[in-house]
Structure formats: C-alpha cells, structure tokens
C-alpha cells in the first residue's frame, strides 16, 4: 500500500522484474479489501496513507484470522528515534527506511517470500 504514484510504480517495476506478481492499493481501505480477498504472501506498507494510516491498517490485518499470517513490511520516511520500535509494536514484521536501495528492498522481500 502506497499513496505516492511514483513510489508505487517503482515498487511494481522492481518486484515484477524479479518475477513477483504485484497487487497495489493507494489507501488502506482498498489494501485491506485486497488482502482479505487475495491473501497475498507479503504486504509492503507505507505509514502515511490517506484516511487510515498504515499502522492502523496493520493492526486490523493482524486481528483478522484471514490475514494475520501475512507478513507486513513497512517502507516509510519515518526514521526518528523510536519509530522502528513503535512500528514493530504495531505488528509489522519488517521495517525499511526511505529512501532505500533496490538491493535492500528486494532483500527485505526475499526474507519473507520466494520469487
């Protein structure tokens, strides 16, 4: 889930270039619906989304029997002291600070899924 069109397009190209199928959402409500319907093997989540934020969306995913097992990796510009701990406490399984390299992005994905 990513609300920035450029960031979303880049993530899609990067993931597809190594063989992943990508579903995308620009807001949490749409992303939650897709997660429940499609059961992806991983969710890459921005925190700053229109409406519901990514941490709130992650909490809902982790409370739902249908989606609780899906790993969530946050990709965010929030890099202040304590942010990573707060993000992980919300139920996120991984954390990447923006900007991130192509290699680090793919390594985080690979740590949770096979291509």
């Amino acid at each position: 889930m990513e609300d920035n069109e450029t960031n979303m397009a880049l993530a899609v190209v990067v993931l597809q270039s190594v063989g992943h199928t990508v579903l995308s959402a620009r807001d949490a409500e749409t992303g939650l619906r897709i997660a429940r319907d499609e059961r992806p093997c991983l969710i890459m989540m921005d925190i700053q989304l229109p409406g519901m934020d990514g941490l709130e969306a992650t909490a809902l995913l982790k409370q739902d029997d249908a989606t609780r097992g899906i790993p969530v990796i946050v990709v965010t510009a929030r890099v202040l002291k304590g942010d990573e701990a707060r993000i992980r406490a919300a139920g996120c399984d991984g954390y990447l600070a923006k900007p991130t390299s192509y290699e680090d992005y793919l390594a985080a994905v690979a740590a949770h899924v096979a291509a």
Side-chain angles (χ1 to χ4, degrees):
M1 292 175 225
E2 169 68 62
D3 65 329
N4 181 290
E5 193 172 318
T6 302
N7 289 347
M8 176 74 78
L10 180 59
V12 169
V13 167
V14 166
L15 292 168
Q16 288 178 339
S17 74
V18 294
H20 293 290
T21 299
V22 179
L23 305 169
S24 60
R26 290 199 172 100
D27 61 75
E29 290 81 5
T30 302
L32 290 169
R33 188 176 66 251
I34 290 170
R36 285 184 197 109
D37 293 347
E38 300 295 330
R39 310 279 171 87
C41 58
L42 176 68
I43 296 173
M44 302 300 283
M45 176 87 70
D46 189 11
I47 290 179
Q48 295 178 314
L49 297 168
M52 181 188 318
D53 74 21
L55 295 182
E56 198 175 341
T58 298
L60 291 173
L61 288 165
K62 297 301 183 176
Q63 292 169 11
D64 187 331
D65 288 339
T67 57
R68 97 169 17 116
I70 302 170
V72 176
I73 299 175
V74 166
V75 184
T76 184
R78 289 189 182 181
V79 292
L80 299 175
K81 184 177 181 175
D83 282 343
E84 182 174 2
R86 189 171 52 81
I87 287 165
R88 289 192 183 271
C92 298
D93 301 286
Y95 169 86
L96 282 173
K98 290 180 188 176
T100 189
S101 70
Y102 170 86
E103 294 84 8
D104 288 345
Y105 191 87
L106 289 178
V109 170
H112 294 280
V113 299

